[in-house]
Amino acid sequence: MVHLDETAIHANFTMRSYNDDGEPISNATRRGDMAALQDLAAEVM
């Protein structure tokens, strides 16, 4: 989703909160993995 309501135009993306087993993604992944995913998404965009 693109935000136009702030000084800098930017976009946010969302992802599933739970894995296929119903476990919260925050419990199923390491913080470093989530940071790497964020970096990868930024490179792609």
Side-chain angles (χ1 to χ4, degrees), residues 1-12:
M1 139 178 66
V2 175
H3 289 268
L4 302 174
D5 61 341
E6 299 178 21
T7 305
I9 296 173
H10 65 280
N12 294 5

Side-chain angles (χ1 to χ4, degrees), residues 16-29:
R16 292 174 48 184
S17 300
Y18 296 88
N19 66 16
D20 291 339
D21 297 324
E23 184 178 7
I25 294 293
S26 58
N27 292 345
T29 57

